[in-house]
Amino acid sequence: MARPLGLTVAAVAALGAAVVWAAYGLAGVIPAGDDVTRDGVRQVTIHGHAWGFSPNVIRVAPGETVQFIVRSEDLRHGFSINELGLNLPLAPGRDTRSPAVKVDLPEGIYPIHCSVFCGIGHPSMKARLVVGTPPPAPSSRLPWIASLLSAAAAVGFGAWARAGRSARG
Amino acid sequence: MRRPTGAGPRAPGGDILRWAPIRRLVGLRAFQFLVILPTAAVVGVILLSTAVGIEHPSFNFGTVFTWVVWWGALLLSFVVLGRAWCLVCPLGALGEWVQRLSFWRRVPYTAGYHFRWPKPLRNMGLATALFIVFVWLDNGYGMSNSPRMTAGLIVVIALGAAWINLFFERRAFCRYVCPLTAFIGLCSLFSAMELRRREAATCRSRCATKDCFRGNDRQYGCPMGEFPGGAMDTNLHCILCTECIKGCPHDNIALRFRPPGRDLWAMRRPQADGAVAAAVIVGLTTVLPLVLLVLLPGLRRALAGVLPAGAPPNDFPRLAAVGLLFALGIGLSLGLVWGFSALARLSTRQAAPTAGALFASFAYALIPMALFKMMADLLDHALRTWGPLVDATRALALDFPLNRVVPGRVTVIHLLGPGSVYTLQSALVLGGLVWSLYALWRISERLFVDRRTALAAWVPMAGLSLVLTLMSLWTLGIGLL
């Protein structure tokens, strides 16, 4: 059983590493384009597509006034920042402008997400509004913790089965 | 060496048909019609709202109710009630009413031709293919946020059910064609409730008429073509229509609770078509989201140089890219399940069962991972964007039932932060993993007498479950990185 077990561990390790690599690749910071400031309002242009936003990190200073100009490149999407009370419906191929909003939020990282159920990748269609220069969010460790827990569950179950306990009771 | 096949010990749990009020209620000839009526009323409002109502998906009651409330309730219903949706589905019932020319009475005449369903199509192949098309329409054209496409889907399913049931016997549409039948049937294997015969001996030795299958002059036989008094040992095709309960002359049908997921490991004859459908559903929920996220932008750009561009959503390079990646994601999922099944056979050092036989048994055990991943997806949406439910209901109330008025700004309700949502999602995904590991172990124990051999076959499949879980966890966690 040693060889198939080794093959299984190797396959799981290789595929698992590929998954983590792909996730970090997708989460890589896409820099903001050339924003324009008019009458004290910074206009931030964002593109939405299935299933992501570009740029995916928008940095603003506390107290800055911002207007978001969002364009969907494919389907109907939404552009929502709950903390700013924004929820813009995005029609395919058209620009949607938010009202000018003053970012009266404490320094921190706030989620931007699609608010219209847009398909299989909808839960991953997110971006971040970074206000000021906050420390890294502790929630970024959660996927690692969940992954370790799932590996522990599989190994623990195997140990339980090996110890001779029958699931049939 | 194989263990003798069999469903194992009977499930514990009470038979709710022993409770007289329930027994009397389901014994009514009009029971199914009565429970369909409220659903038919809601589907009628949804159809009006999606067909003529506003196109803004967050204010259209039909789209919000269908793709958030109904879809979520459907997923939850699998866990407790199995195919309960099919019991109350007015679309499948429409086909039955057309065929029988009766809403509930047993009538001696019929409008149907009652042809037998073609033999090559008596499997889950067509339903699985249509389910893939259903998901592709959502990802290619954004069906779930288009009111008109949602209306079109409802009309096509209703007309399809009526047309097919007019020509073919029983509920041929619901069994072989409905785009959701394979998905609903397989997820219902996880259910904590089952409808089965009470005593096998009664059916074998005392029953000569087989009324549960054939029907009689007072009741119809099973509309899905199942034989509850005989071979039916899973929830796969049981739509809980209660026809067999009413028809059994020996009162030998039970509706009872049992450990969730029991069908996954206890089914006597796992079929290859169901296993392929299970691997496809697992692929659509775990492998495909990652494949699309990683490859879609690049492939779309590459195809834009070859295919003519169109206005979104009729953007041909994108539609072709989504189609190609669907093929890749589903192929990858089937390949992974097959590959790890082959590794399991290698681990056992036995010629039998073959890799194909292991695939047919083990693929069903992966269903809990798919089901819980879908719940995690929907949980994320519901907790982040609770507001549209309120908005859509308010919009409908302002212009009932046509839903043509926008009530104002959309509501933004923040229920939980991203870290808390992800923690709940991870708990669901891990729950699915543990259930799948358990189901895989029970199947291994059934297939192999020797514990070491059973463990050797289980280890590679547990490895596959872990890989699929990692795909779900990291796809859901991209927004946190």
Side-chain angles (χ1 to χ4, degrees):
Chain A
M1 188 176 150
R3 189 161 159 263
L5 181 65
L7 280 173
T8 302
V9 171
V12 171
L15 290 167
V19 169
V20 175
W21 175 78
Y24 270 99
L26 285 166
V29 174
I30 302 168
D34 297 330
D35 297 338
V36 180
T37 301
R38 286 202 181 111
D39 301 328
V41 178
R42 183 174 148 210
Q43 293 182 324
V44 180
T45 303
I46 299 154
H47 292 264
H49 57 88
W51 291 272
F53 292 103
S54 178
N56 60 6
V57 175
I58 298 159
R59 296 181 188 280
V60 295
E64 192 175 2
T65 302
V66 182
Q67 180 184 39
F68 298 98
I69 302 166
V70 197
R71 183 182 185 87
S72 168
E73 292 174 355
D74 41 40
L75 307 173
R76 284 175 184 274
H77 294 290
F79 177 84
S80 180
I81 307 173
N82 286 334
E83 289 76 4
L84 293 181
L86 281 182
N87 190 352
L88 307 177
L90 309 179
R94 285 193 217 149
D95 285 350
T96 303
R97 288 166 183 264
S98 77
V101 285
K102 190 172 182 190
V103 184
D104 272 335
L105 296 171
E107 285 202 345
I109 301 171
Y110 300 91
I112 299 171
H113 52 81
C114 173
S115 53
V116 170
F117 202 87
C118 59
I120 217 161
H122 169 70
S124 305
M125 191 165 173
K126 293 171 185 165
R128 275 168 287 178
L129 178 73
V130 181
V131 180
T133 49
S139 59
S140 61
R141 296 188 203 111
L142 285 175
W144 285 106
I145 296 169
S147 302
L148 289 173
L149 280 175
S150 57
V155 172
F157 195 100
W160 173 82
R162 191 159 186 253
R165 289 178 180 86
S166 170
R168 284 178 299 238
Chain B
M1 184 182 167
R2 239 178 232 265
R3 281 183 196 282
T5 55
R10 297 306 309 160
D15 174 3
I16 59 174
L17 292 180
R18 297 282 192 205
W19 197 32
I22 299 277
R23 182 69 184 81
R24 272 201 294 275
L25 186 67
V26 301
L28 290 174
R29 197 53 246 148
F31 170 72
Q32 190 177 13
F33 179 74
L34 292 174
V35 295
I36 286 172
L37 274 183
T39 331
V42 174
V43 170
V45 171
I46 286 172
L47 190 57
L48 268 177
S49 158
T50 49
V52 301
I54 48 178
E55 290 218 46
H56 186 320
S58 293
F59 284 126
N60 189 286
F61 177 80
T63 47
V64 172
F65 197 87
T66 304
W67 300 114
V68 180
V69 179
W70 171 77
W71 189 249
L74 187 69
L75 297 178
L76 287 176
S77 73
F78 296 148
V79 177
V80 184
L81 299 168
R83 295 190 72 143
W85 164 251
C86 301
L87 165 67
V88 299
C89 172
L91 308 182
L94 181 69
E96 200 167 70
W97 296 337
V98 167
Q99 186 189 62
R100 293 177 177 175
L101 291 173
S102 163
F103 286 120
W104 68 82
R105 286 204 176 85
R106 172 72 167 102
V107 290
Y109 46 83
T110 173
Y113 287 95
H114 298 276
F115 295 132
R116 297 205 71 194
W117 186 250
K119 203 169 180 183
L121 296 177
R122 277 184 222 156
N123 52 52
M124 287 194 184
L126 182 58
T128 307
L130 289 174
F131 183 64
I132 294 169
V133 172
F134 170 81
V135 181
W136 180 82
L137 276 175
D138 191 26
N139 291 278
Y141 279 98
M143 181 174 65
S144 65
N145 58 50
S146 163
R148 304 294 180 262
M149 283 191 75
T150 303
L153 178 75
I154 294 170
V155 170
V156 165
I157 289 180
L159 291 179
W163 193 248
I164 286 173
N165 284 9
L166 200 56
F167 286 95
F168 294 98
E169 64 177 353
R170 303 183 191 245
R171 281 200 186 208
F173 178 84
C174 300
R175 168 121 192 193
Y176 299 111
V177 186
C178 174
L180 292 176
T181 191
F183 168 70
I184 290 179
L186 286 165
C187 288
S188 296
L189 298 177
F190 186 79
S191 162
M193 194 158 92
E194 65 179 11
L195 183 148
R196 299 285 189 278
R197 63 185 177 192
R198 285 196 181 113
E199 299 293 338
T202 305
C203 296
R204 273 199 296 265
S205 57
R206 287 178 54 205
C207 186
T209 54
K210 315 297 180 199
D211 290 350
C212 59
F213 176 72
R214 294 181 188 145
N216 55 37
D217 56 351
R218 285 170 293 107
Q219 315 292 345
Y220 290 99
C222 176
M224 295 293 276
E226 286 289 287
F227 183 19
M232 192 178 92
D233 68 337
T234 72
N235 290 349
L236 194 58
H237 299 298
C238 175
I239 59 170
L240 300 170
C241 65
T242 69
E243 206 69 55
C244 57
I245 299 170
K246 293 188 252 283
C248 178
H250 307 284
D251 191 21
N252 196 35
I253 300 292
L255 190 59
R256 61 192 163 216
F257 289 100
R258 53 138 193 221
R262 188 172 178 276
D263 285 352
L264 300 170
W265 58 82
M267 65 170 68
R268 284 189 289 258
R269 290 175 299 277
Q271 300 292 320
D273 61 336
V276 169
V280 166
I281 290 168
V282 170
L284 288 173
T285 51
T286 58
V287 182
L288 187 62
L290 191 63
V291 167
L292 283 170
L293 283 167
V294 173
L295 299 177
L296 183 58
L299 186 60
R300 182 191 174 198
R301 271 195 301 275
L303 288 175
V306 185
L307 294 170
N314 295 312
D315 176 10
F316 300 115
R318 183 176 179 280
L319 291 172
V322 172
L324 286 172
L325 293 176
F326 259 59
L328 177 67
I330 291 168
L332 200 58
S333 174
L334 288 166
L336 279 171
V337 182
W338 181 273
F340 277 87
S341 298
L343 198 56
R345 197 195 73 78
L346 193 68
S347 299
T348 62
R349 296 172 184 271
Q350 294 184 4
T354 61
L358 290 177
F359 175 94
S361 289
F362 282 136
Y364 289 94
L366 305 175
I367 287 291
M369 287 200 300
L371 180 57
F372 282 73
K373 169 62 169 36
M374 279 184 277
M375 286 187 194
D377 286 346
L378 199 69
L379 180 83
D380 172 78
H381 181 70
L383 290 175
R384 281 192 290 143
T385 47
W386 189 249
L389 288 178
V390 181
D391 297 333
T393 310
R394 210 172 55 204
L396 181 70
L398 286 173
D399 180 29
F400 185 85
L402 299 181
N403 199 193
R404 293 165 303 185
V405 177
V406 179
R409 284 191 65 187
V410 287
T411 310
V412 180
I413 301 176
H414 194 155
L415 287 180
L416 285 176
S420 309
V421 173
Y422 184 77
T423 304
L424 290 176
Q425 288 179 303
S426 301
L428 280 171
V429 171
L430 282 171
L433 169 69
V434 170
W435 236 296
S436 284
L437 291 173
Y438 182 74
L440 288 165
W441 176 241
R442 292 296 302 260
I443 291 167
S444 278
E445 278 196 312
R446 192 191 71 209
L447 292 173
F448 304 99
V449 173
D450 175 49
R451 179 176 303 279
R452 281 179 63 86
T453 314
L455 190 64
W458 176 84
V459 166
M461 299 313 296
L464 171 64
S465 307
L466 184 57
V467 169
L468 296 172
T469 300
L470 292 177
M471 285 184 182
S472 297
L473 289 173
W474 285 89
T475 309
L476 291 170
I478 284 169
L480 297 173
L481 300 176

